[in-house]
Amino acid sequence: MTDLFVARDLCKRFGGLQALRNVDVVQRAGETLGMIGPNGSGKTSFVNAVTGELALDSGTIDFAGRDITGVRPHKVARAGLARTFQAVRIFARLSVRDNLQTAMLVLDDAANSLEAEERVELLHWLKLDHRLDAVAGSLTLFEQRRLELAMRLMMRPQLIMLDEPVGGLAPGEIRAMMQILNELKARCSIFVIEHTMRVIRELADRVVVLITGEKIADGPPVDILKDQRVIEQYLGTAHA
Amino acid sequence: MRRYLRSAITPQLLLLLAAAIALAVVVSGNRFFAFVLGITMISILWAAGMNLLTGYTGLVSLAFAGIAGISAYGTVGLVMRCGWSFWLAMPVAVLGAAVVGVLLGLPSLRLKGFYFALSSLVIQTVLSLGFVYFIGLTNGDTGISQIPPPDIPLTGVSFHGIGFDLLLTFAAWLSLAATWAIAHSPFGRRLVAIREDEVLAEAIGIDVIRNKMLVFFVGSLYAGVGGALYATYVGFASPRSFDLLSSLSIWLMVAFGGRGTFMGPVVGALILAPVPFMLQQYDTLKDVIYGALIIAVIVLMPGGVYGTLLAYVRRLPSLKRYLSKQRGGVPNDGSVRRS
Ligand SMILES: Nc1ncnc2c1ncn2[C@@H]1O[C@H](COP(=O)(O)OP(=O)(O)O)[C@@H](O)[C@H]1O
Ligand SMILES: [Mg+2]
């Protein structure tokens, strides 16, 4: 299997706080990679650093065989690495349709823009087709998360990084979202952050555990669950 | 781009042009009213440019009049000193002003909302000082008078009277057509995305820096064309014509009418541009009225006159379908917006 995404030795410090400490992460093509860790352990910072939102102190990032270290966010997105935000981010005052059409601009000039049928199918799958004229800010959180996802898929990403995609959802919605994410695997590779093990165990082929900016474990979910350090430092609190 | 230009020739726009021409002809008998209308047309042009920056992109540029001034002094200098035709001098000066507009905008590329407005205010102040200081080019506070009107190429005569009024009318209309085309183009969509959320815009592949520089350039073109027309129409240019108050009053036209709506700034300019002429005898009163209007608009009608009207009309189901096809504007729910 080839490496889709390689982060080497990432370091980031905010004043006196070391948010990322020599973090190495490799994601292979076709693999779903999970990242867990308690709040404040640096998961969002990791995604921000990878997608160019955050300038690294040191380290390198390769994506699809290209060095994307220090590349600005819009170029990372154009290269096929999309990301969502922990606090859902949509154009709240615009209609769902305008949100989607804005996201489609990226491929407007490229030849590989989504065909009309593909768009219809995508919106049908995410159950957004009846909400196109609604103001995006008036959607429920679950609908907003689906809209966010649809906007990214309009860009035909190779890899999508999801920052706590089930955060704030009701239990029934979480199950529906898990199903969506399982189906999403057929469309692109997934990197998913969660701070509960339950979601990761179901979705991910492999898990990276981050604690206070340091990677302390990396392996299949079953092994991670048995890892003594993970149990001690993290799982005990997360299950509470 | 052709596609978007063609889409600009809509029935509404043609109607607007017809109405403006009719108005110009009707008032042409009275030089005072004709002059007020001419200034109003330049104001519409300026408001359209300010609307691109403020309404669509969400950047309040208080250096707008200063950029207009650079183009005005440039045009006047090239015409009066170098003997250039207006039609050669104006494009050169406008391009120069637009390049200056982009360069001056560079430091504020990362700024938003209040901080962007503040930095543009500083730039306007510096430009105003420059207009006073470079006496050799601007004749300082005294100003330049007896500026000739634009020539009609190859005829040996100049635009005057109703001819000049119609020229301004056409320029104003052209600026609206251009704004319409931009608002309906991918560029216009990108500007709205930047206004709504820069971080999200970048995450979906929009080059925020590049598009902001582009809109600085395009906005400065509007400012510049208006500046060159203003100086030659009035026949006089002084630093006061292109000061902070001028920038503010153009912003007010946009905000008063309705930011980010196509017709709002036109309505704002039509209502506000004549005000100074009505109150010529009461100069202090004019400033008080302007101040009161600024506060009233911000507090009572964040969507502006036209924007608020549009919000009411949008609630009528029969019009909903038609209006939902018009994009670019901010869906106004009457709530106070962040800017
Ligand atoms: N822009 C920032 N400036 C300063 N500190 C930050 C910034 N972003 C994150 N942090 C800090 O870095 C640490 C890691 O945060 P984050 O990456 O959001 O963790 P997680 O997503 O795992 O909850 C936290 O202590 C947070 O307060
Ligand atoms: Mg986080």
Side-chain angles (χ1 to χ4, degrees):
Chain A
M1 270 198 284
T2 55
D3 293 340
L4 175 61
F5 164 78
V6 184
R8 262 187 231 299
D9 215 18
L10 302 194
C11 290
K12 177 68 194 181
R13 177 181 279 281
F14 292 114
L17 183 105
Q18 189 84 40
L20 296 173
R21 229 181 272 260
N22 310 95
V23 177
D24 287 304
V25 174
V26 175
Q27 178 165 8
R28 295 172 198 102
E31 174 187 53
T32 300
L33 185 60
M35 179 176 266
I36 56 169
N39 272 324
S41 56
K43 306 182 297 295
T44 298
S45 300
F46 177 80
V47 171
N48 285 346
V50 167
T51 53
E53 217 81 59
L54 197 64
L56 282 165
D57 296 335
S58 63
T60 61
I61 302 150
D62 285 357
F63 170 68
R66 250 180 76 190
D67 182 7
I68 57 161
T69 318
V71 170
R72 279 165 54 201
H74 72 275
K75 285 204 174 139
V76 174
R78 280 169 177 264
L81 203 176
R83 61 88 53 99
T84 62
F85 295 90
Q86 183 169 352
V88 71
R89 246 187 152 119
I90 49 171
F91 299 119
R93 299 191 298 173
L94 305 186
S95 70
V96 170
R97 190 190 307 277
D98 280 345
N99 269 271
L100 291 165
Q101 283 182 340
T102 306
M104 277 168 53
L105 290 176
V106 177
L107 293 182
D108 252 10
D109 16 60
N112 63 341
S113 139
L114 250 64
E115 301 291 335
E117 310 92 77
E118 286 179 289
R119 266 178 266 154
V120 170
E121 185 269 335
L122 176 64
L123 296 181
H124 183 72
W125 171 54
L126 291 171
K127 299 193 178 61
L128 287 169
D129 37 9
H130 61 296
R131 300 295 271 148
L132 291 179
D133 291 317
V135 174
S138 73
L139 302 181
T140 67
L141 179 64
F142 185 32
E143 285 173 325
Q144 292 187 2
R145 291 233 184 257
R146 270 144 49 202
L147 172 58
E148 206 177 22
L149 212 52
M151 286 167 74
R152 299 309 182 277
L153 293 174
M154 288 288 178
M155 303 159 57
R156 255 192 220 290
Q158 249 183 295
L159 170 63
I160 183 164
M161 295 191 142
L162 306 165
D163 195 348
E164 306 205 10
V166 302
L169 298 184
E173 294 170 340
I174 293 182
R175 274 190 298 278
M177 184 56 114
M178 296 295 289
Q179 162 132 27
I180 289 174
L181 295 182
N182 268 313
E183 290 166 7
L184 178 64
K185 290 177 184 174
R187 296 170 189 258
C188 64
S189 297
I190 302 174
F191 174 98
V192 56
I193 290 179
E194 260 306 320
H195 67 268
T196 60
M197 193 63 197
R198 209 162 35 117
V199 173
I200 290 287
R201 194 167 45 195
E202 190 183 323
L203 278 180
D205 303 316
R206 196 159 54 85
V207 186
V208 170
V209 184
L210 218 57
I211 290 185
T212 56
E214 204 168 350
K215 186 172 98 169
I216 63 153
D218 184 340
V222 276
D223 297 349
I224 293 294
L225 277 169
K226 283 185 260 169
D227 189 305
Q228 201 52 42
R229 276 181 309 168
V230 178
I231 293 168
E232 272 168 22
Q233 295 202 41
Y234 173 53
L235 291 178
T237 57
H239 279 309
Chain B
M1 203 60 208
R2 276 270 275 301
R3 181 154 58 97
Y4 303 108
L5 282 180
R6 203 170 311 130
S7 79
I9 314 298
T10 65
Q12 296 102 305
L13 270 172
L14 291 177
L15 207 69
L16 212 60
L17 178 63
I21 290 176
L23 196 61
V25 172
V26 166
V27 301
S28 64
N30 181 321
R31 269 330 288 163
F32 177 71
F33 285 142
F35 183 74
V36 173
L37 187 73
I39 295 297
T40 305
M41 288 300 160
I42 295 173
S43 300
I44 289 178
L45 189 159
W46 270 333
M50 179 68 97
N51 191 30
L52 271 186
L53 293 162
T54 299
Y56 288 97
T57 324
L59 300 170
V60 176
S61 171
L62 297 178
F64 196 83
I67 302 294
I70 292 175
S71 159
Y73 284 121
T75 304
V76 169
L78 290 172
V79 169
M80 291 177 79
R81 285 160 191 260
C82 311
W84 289 24
S85 160
F86 174 85
W87 299 104
L88 186 61
M90 189 264 281
V92 169
V94 167
L95 273 179
V99 170
V100 172
V102 173
L103 292 178
L104 291 178
L106 291 181
S108 33
L109 277 172
R110 290 280 181 199
L111 301 181
K112 271 183 275 213
F114 175 73
Y115 297 97
F116 181 89
L118 202 63
S119 101
S120 72
L121 185 144
V122 171
I123 290 169
Q124 171 67 56
T125 310
V126 172
L127 289 176
S128 286
L129 286 173
F131 296 153
V132 176
Y133 184 77
F134 290 104
I135 294 182
L137 293 170
T138 64
N139 204 25
D141 270 324
T142 319
I144 304 172
S145 40
Q146 297 190 322
I147 298 169
D151 52 302
I152 302 174
L154 308 175
T155 61
V157 290
S158 302
F159 280 95
H160 64 276
I162 175 113
F164 207 163
D165 298 341
L166 287 175
L167 175 68
L168 297 181
T169 303
F170 185 67
W173 179 80
L174 212 59
S175 76
L176 289 178
T179 305
W180 179 276
I182 290 171
H184 289 77
S185 73
F187 177 48
R189 258 190 200 293
R190 289 189 185 103
L191 296 183
V192 170
I194 290 169
R195 175 191 72 197
E196 293 296 310
D197 187 336
E198 285 189 17
V199 173
L200 175 55
E202 288 204 309
I204 57 173
I206 294 172
D207 188 341
V208 171
I209 302 282
R210 185 186 134 96
N211 282 283
K212 275 191 184 175
M213 283 169 68
L214 270 172
V215 79
F216 290 164
F217 185 81
V218 177
S220 301
L221 291 181
Y222 285 73
V225 171
L229 289 173
Y230 180 89
T232 50
Y233 188 61
V234 179
F236 176 69
S238 83
R240 283 213 58 184
S241 324
F242 308 108
D243 63 1
L244 179 62
L245 212 59
S246 315
S247 286
L248 271 172
S249 70
I250 297 167
W251 174 81
L252 187 59
M253 289 170 197
V254 176
F256 187 81
R259 273 170 281 177
T261 65
F262 175 69
M263 278 302 286
V266 180
V267 173
L270 282 173
I271 295 174
L272 294 182
V275 167
F277 296 96
M278 308 301 160
L279 299 174
Q280 247 164 3
Q281 280 85 2
Y282 318 96
D283 214 34
T284 12
L285 190 63
K286 189 192 88 179
D287 292 346
V288 172
I289 290 185
Y290 260 80
L293 272 175
I294 291 178
I295 293 167
V297 163
I298 292 170
V299 174
L300 300 175
M301 282 188 307
V305 179
Y306 181 79
T308 306
L309 202 72
L310 206 64
Y312 276 112
V313 172
R314 277 209 169 110
R315 298 212 182 103
L316 304 175
S318 53
L319 278 165
K320 245 183 180 155
R321 274 235 324 276
Y322 167 74
L323 284 167
S324 70
K325 280 187 245 154
Q326 310 213 345
R327 352 177 274 228
V330 180
N332 190 306
D333 50 8
S335 60
V336 178
R337 64 197 50 195
R338 62 206 155 91
S339 57

